[in-house]
């Protein structure tokens, strides 16, 4: 459903009403935390623009639910907000080629923040690949970013990293 390029208006309304019924109307029957987690998991798999559209629509109908969901969402773009120690723990688990793919098309500030987390050797390999490599298929870039974000969520669930921290985010060199 997320990968479909063009969806007709009647089909979109049908999908929206079905999702609303399944995910919002039946909330009383489900455990609220499990429900929010399930919704966040579905929305997390969408691209950023689609996520924002869904959250905006939800905010119009249920502002509190939208705010709760915003707190549960985590995407590749949010990695820059992780504390330095958490980014280090995360990128220690990711193969260099996956990092290269994920960083394709990112802005310099974001890229430098991630590169500062890598070991010296890994950083040089990634920088070389990014500067000399050609463009990667969009689907592969999205897949690499989603894998990294999913790994961050899994590691947070296991207590191996913090997604949100009050500490100042220092760069790692």
């Amino acid at each position: 459903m997320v990968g479909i390029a063009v969806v007709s208006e009647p089909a979109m309304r049908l999908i929206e009403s079905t999702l609303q019924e399944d995910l919002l109307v039946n909330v009383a029957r489900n455990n609220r935390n499990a429900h929010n987690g399930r919704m966040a998991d579905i929305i997390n798999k969408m691209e950023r623009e689609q996520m924002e559209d869904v959250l905006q629509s939800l905010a119009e109908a249920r502002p509190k639910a939208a705010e709760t969901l915003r707190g549960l969402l985590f995407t590749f773009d949010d990695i820059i907000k992780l504390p330095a120690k958490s980014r280090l723990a995360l990128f220690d688990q990711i193969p260099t080629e996956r990092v290269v793919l994920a960083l394709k098309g990112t802005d310099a500030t974001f890229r430098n923040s991630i590169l500062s987390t890598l070991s010296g050797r890994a950083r040089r390999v990634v920088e070389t690949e990014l500067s000399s490599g050609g463009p990667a298929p969009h689907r592969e870039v999205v897949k690499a970013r989603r894998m990294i974000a999913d790994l961050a969520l899994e590691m947070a669930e296991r207590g191996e990293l913090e997604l949100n921290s009050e500490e100042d985010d220092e760069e790692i060199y």
Side-chain angles (χ1 to χ4, degrees), residues 27-38:
V27 72
R29 294 184 210 159
N30 298 320
N31 176 324
R32 190 168 301 275
N33 289 334
H35 173 76
N36 288 341
R38 189 174 74 209

Side-chain angles (χ1 to χ4, degrees), residues 85-149:
K85 290 177 188 174
S86 293
R87 280 197 318 258
L88 179 62
L90 174 63
F91 282 97
D92 277 349
Q93 304 295 314
I94 301 169
T96 306
E97 62 274 2
R98 196 56 77 149
V99 175
V100 170
L101 266 176
L103 290 177
K104 296 254 183 188
T106 58
D107 64 66
T109 304
F110 184 89
R111 189 176 310 126
N112 288 334
S113 178
I114 300 303
L115 290 172
S116 71
T117 306
L118 303 176
S119 69
R121 181 184 175 282
R123 180 182 178 137
R124 286 187 299 277
V125 168
V126 171
E127 286 174 329
T128 302
E129 287 293 321
L130 287 172
S131 65
S132 65
H138 179 71
R139 173 178 244 147
E140 293 302 313
V141 171
V142 169
K143 188 176 174 182
R145 291 177 181 177
R146 183 75 255 148
M147 186 280 290
I148 292 171

Side-chain angles (χ1 to χ4, degrees), residues 40-46 72-79 82 90 93-94 98 142-158 160-161 163:
D41 188 47
I42 291 168
I43 295 170
N44 259 330
K45 297 205 181 326
M46 297 176 180
L72 296 173
L73 298 178
F74 185 83
T75 65
F76 181 74
D77 296 334
D78 296 325
I79 287 174
L82 290 176
L90 174 63
Q93 304 295 314
I94 301 169
R98 196 56 77 149
V142 169
K143 188 176 174 182
R145 291 177 181 177
R146 183 75 255 148
M147 186 280 290
I148 292 171
D150 288 345
L151 179 60
L153 289 168
E154 290 170 18
M155 291 176 72
E157 284 179 20
R158 293 189 303 256
E160 297 173 6
L161 62 80
L163 293 181

Side-chain angles (χ1 to χ4, degrees), residues 1-7 15 42-43 45-47 50 142:
M1 178 176 80
V2 175
I4 297 174
V6 177
V7 178
I15 291 169
I42 291 168
I43 295 170
K45 297 205 181 326
M46 297 176 180
E47 291 190 32
Q50 293 168 324
V142 169

